[in-house]
Amino acid sequence: MRDLNLDETKQYDTDLSTDGGRTWQAGPSGNCSGAVEAHVAGAEQRGHTVRVDGQVVITGDGHSLLRWTPRS
């Protein structure tokens, strides 16, 4: 698994997009960085898309996108 270099002191909120990232709907909040890393590892094993932009992580399964953003 790649090193995502996420901030372990932050909680990550999730958003879901079913239109390729044009719009986002709030999902469950309060995931720790370890939960994000575990989801990314599973996504990579299944061959799903994983994008990392600083502290923002987006995964896609071909039908929807899930975005994690650190809570301020």
Side-chain angles (χ1 to χ4, degrees):
M1 183 178 112
R2 72 172 111 173
D3 181 13
L4 300 177
N5 199 31
L6 298 178
D7 186 340
E8 295 178 4
T9 66
K10 299 268 185 183
Q11 291 289 306
Y12 286 76
D13 293 328
T14 58
D15 300 300
L16 176 68
S17 176
T18 57
D19 61 5
R22 288 185 291 281
T23 61
W24 295 91
Q25 297 176 358
S29 61
N31 294 292
C32 66
S33 63
V36 176
E37 291 172 348
H39 182 84
V40 166
E44 288 179 329
Q45 283 182 329
R46 292 185 297 279
H48 295 174
T49 302
V50 176
R51 291 186 307 221
V52 180
D53 182 12
Q55 292 291 301
V56 177
V57 178
I58 299 174
T59 61
D61 62 6
H63 303 288
S64 61
L65 299 172
L66 192 57
R67 173 178 68 188
W68 285 272
T69 307
R71 198 177 293 166
S72 300

